[in-house]
Amino acid sequence: MCGIFGVFGHKEAAKLTYFGLYALQHRGQESAGMAVSDGREVREYRALGLVPDVFNEEILSRLPGHIAVGHVRYSTTGSTTVKNAQPFCVTHGGCTLALAHNGNLVNAYEIRRELESQGSIFQTTMDSEVIVHLLAKASRKGIVEAIREAMGIIRGAYSVILLLPDKLIAFRDPYGFRPLCLGMVNGGYVVASETCALDLIQAQYLRDIEPGEILVIDENGLSSYKGMESARRAHCIFEFIYFARPDSYIFGENVYAFRKHLGEGLARENPLEVDFVMPFPDSGNYAAIGYAQATGLPFEMGVIRNHYVGRTFIQPSAGMRDFSVRVKLNPVKEILRGKKVAVVDDSLVRGTTSRTRVKAIREAGAHEIYMLISCPPIRHPCFYGIDFPTPGELIAAKHSVEEIRRYLELDGLYYLSLEGLISAAGGEGDKFCLACFTGEYPVPVERGFRKDILEKGE
Ligand code: AMP
């Protein structure tokens, strides 16, 4: 889970990248960084923290140039270290390159062991670093051929933006797990994880980077090369369900509209007789709107979200239970008291947050609470970049819907069916990766693969 952004041919490339990353902040809050080239020299800046905390005018002014690549990183377990912040910059054979990667490789450990046995020295514990090593190894053949060769070796999810002193290159795994799009602004080009980043800088959306494509952007304009073919697509359905911003278009579709379809599907499968529908904001908002419109039930905001909750705050005193959940959402007693409510949320992962939230609305006076989840039970871990816990911690991996209902202390719990999900996706289930629901992994995972294997080096 990360956000990436690149610019070619704009005199304020650093500033544009700052705004692009700002719009992609939801994709990663651990660290932010960018590398900028003036055509000869590449300068970089990376730090832990949110985009506006990491960069300021003074830092941006020290990053002159018309080509840039930026990255926001999502924290997975451990290793909150600036060493792992991207873009990842190296100089090899006199040429500097900077790489920003979104997604997870499933055979990084294997490749890394192999490269280390040949003498490679790794600087970080990131899977992304193996891509840089493979590119460096094949660099004699020219960058496009080197990328093609690397694509033949790495497996899994990768949307990548690569900066060289005089060009920007975007490439994407042949399954298209993670989104990546191309836009144009003032005669220059931009590449971004999501279109919401293009909107902010008033760039025009041109198209998506195709799965398996290598797109080179330089003084000659755009040159597209075939990197690697695949028989199928495997777009991450969870990008639609939860991760991407609702104003974005990803995989050719608007996220808001998709989420509304999920809510409509829930309404078809589980029409409830309740006083009103409410979301757990913000993740449940759009499916709740879809559900309310499809059933004709009133829509209310039964809990209010505090938008200013950062990552760090003073720890509450010992007596204040569930503080971290309560600080984010607060129930509105006036609306909830004595009511029969249908609460919509996008997903249940561990179940712990939802349990506290349900308890809070019960204490606020809700009389009967029914919960609707706009995706099927998540039973399997993700190896392609969504930060789900181990199967042991995924509540639906070990428990039936009825057991989960009881644990959450609900009067009813309803998940969208897999068929309902596929129907919201226009019936094109085979275009998507549904592994977290079905356990069918489109790209086989290397034996013994665990995210934390790479983290062990810390
Ligand atoms: P829980 O009750 O702990 O399962 O948390 C459910 C809430 O976490 C839902 O509102 C989801 O939107 C949100 N969520 C979605 N994806 C993840 C994830 N990968 N890890 C943790 N929480 C997530």
Side-chain angles (χ1 to χ4, degrees):
M1 287 161 87
C2 292
I4 57 176
F5 188 85
V7 181
F8 183 92
H10 194 287
K11 62 181 189 312
E12 290 191 300
K15 206 168 228 181
L16 231 53
T17 303
Y18 173 84
F19 290 124
L21 293 180
Y22 200 88
L24 297 172
Q25 187 78 80
H26 61 289
R27 297 186 69 88
Q29 299 91 41
E30 179 185 294
S31 68
M34 68 172 84
V36 185
S37 172
D38 57 9
R40 289 178 305 277
E41 197 175 334
V42 178
R43 297 171 180 87
E44 54 165 326
Y45 189 83
R46 296 171 294 147
L48 296 180
L50 300 174
V51 177
D53 301 330
V54 167
F55 295 103
N56 57 36
E57 290 272 6
E58 200 268 318
I59 292 168
L60 293 178
S61 73
R62 284 192 269 127
L63 299 168
H66 61 288
I67 318 174
V69 62
H71 187 272
V72 284
R73 181 168 195 258
Y74 179 90
S75 144
T76 50
T77 44
S79 78
T80 304
T81 144
V82 73
K83 227 172 47 172
N84 278 353
Q86 293 193 25
F88 186 74
C89 285
V90 288
T91 302
H92 175 81
C95 173
T96 301
L97 58 83
L99 178 137
H101 170 210
N102 173 212
N104 238 45
L105 304 182
V106 297
N107 62 343
Y109 184 58
E110 229 167 59
I111 301 170
R112 183 178 171 133
R113 256 193 332 211
E114 176 68 30
L115 288 169
E116 281 178 336
S117 75
Q118 296 167 19
S120 291
I121 297 168
F122 280 77
Q123 298 176 31
T124 73
T125 54
M126 287 185 294
D127 58 348
S128 320
E129 193 180 348
V130 305
I131 309 177
V132 175
H133 280 261
L134 292 172
L135 295 180
K137 262 187 79 176
S139 61
R140 279 170 294 107
K141 301 175 183 168
I143 190 65
V144 172
E145 201 41 49
I147 294 171
R148 202 176 273 140
E149 206 161 283
M151 286 171 92
I153 298 170
I154 56 178
R155 285 194 285 110
Y158 54 91
S159 281
V160 174
I161 305 176
L162 184 68
L163 172 142
L164 276 76
D166 62 345
K167 52 174 79 66
L168 194 75
I169 304 177
F171 59 97
R172 197 170 167 211
D173 68 74
Y175 293 84
F177 280 101
R178 305 274 148 237
L180 195 62
C181 67
L182 174 71
M184 193 164 207
V185 60
N186 297 339
Y189 291 100
V190 287
V191 179
S193 292
E194 293 181 33
T195 60
C196 64
L198 306 189
D199 296 339
L200 182 60
I201 57 164
Q202 294 182 291
Q204 183 199 349
Y205 169 81
L206 295 177
R207 65 175 179 87
D208 281 5
I209 310 298
E210 289 300 318
E213 178 182 7
I214 303 169
L215 183 72
V216 178
I217 313 173
D218 59 16
E219 289 304 331
N220 304 317
L222 301 176
S223 318
S224 172
Y225 301 88
K226 272 204 169 33
M228 207 183 162
E229 305 262 11
S230 147
R232 63 160 294 188
R233 299 283 180 255
H235 303 311
C236 170
I237 196 88
F238 212 68
E239 290 271 356
F240 271 131
I241 294 168
Y242 168 75
F243 197 40
R245 241 171 68 163
D247 47 336
S248 287
Y249 287 75
I250 57 166
F251 315 135
E253 220 174 307
N254 171 237
V255 177
Y256 186 123
F258 191 100
R259 288 184 192 165
K260 266 186 83 176
H261 292 321
L262 297 176
E264 289 155 12
L266 271 173
R268 266 194 304 277
E269 293 178 3
N270 309 288
L272 299 175
E273 282 179 26
V274 291
D275 294 318
F276 63 81
V277 183
M278 59 171 269
F280 276 151
D282 289 333
S283 55
N285 288 357
Y286 314 95
I289 292 170
Y291 187 87
Q293 289 181 0
T295 52
L297 285 163
F299 177 90
E300 299 283 1
M301 293 300 284
V303 292
I304 300 303
R305 178 171 167 193
N306 180 347
H307 284 269
Y308 304 97
V309 179
R311 284 218 130 196
T312 52
F313 40 75
I314 295 164
Q315 286 305 307
S317 21
M320 298 165 80
R321 273 180 309 106
D322 306 323
F323 181 81
S324 61
V325 175
R326 284 167 195 268
V327 75
K328 266 185 223 150
L329 295 186
N330 192 32
V332 187
K333 297 187 189 75
E334 189 65 28
I335 297 291
L336 293 165
R337 199 176 294 124
K339 292 295 197 292
K340 202 169 160 181
V341 302
V343 182
V344 180
D345 204 358
D346 69 294
S347 57
L348 281 175
V349 182
R350 288 181 176 82
T352 46
T353 312
S354 307
R355 183 177 150 93
T356 306
R357 289 171 173 180
V358 170
K359 200 183 282 172
I361 58 175
R362 183 85 68 190
E363 283 168 11
H367 187 57
E368 284 177 42
I369 307 172
Y370 300 85
M371 194 161 178
L372 297 143
I373 305 295
S374 68
C375 70
I378 299 171
R379 298 205 165 96
H380 307 274
C382 177
F383 298 107
Y384 310 123
I386 296 286
D387 184 31
F388 286 147
T390 55
E393 292 170 293
L394 283 173
I395 191 165
K398 291 274 160 66
H399 299 282
S400 68
V401 175
E402 173 54 19
E403 284 168 342
I404 301 170
R405 182 196 69 74
R406 264 188 272 134
Y407 171 73
L408 299 181
E409 297 177 35
L410 289 163
D411 297 287
L413 171 64
Y414 310 89
Y415 282 93
L416 183 67
S417 69
L418 188 63
E419 298 69 45
L421 176 65
I422 292 171
S423 141
E428 298 184 291
D430 51 0
K431 256 179 45 184
F432 290 94
C433 174
L434 303 165
C436 50
F437 309 119
T438 61
E440 289 161 26
Y441 292 95
V443 174
V445 176
E446 102 182 353
R447 259 184 61 210
F449 171 92
R450 293 249 313 279
K451 261 190 303 197
D452 55 337
I453 288 179
L454 283 176
E455 306 291 337
K456 259 194 194 154
E458 281 303 303

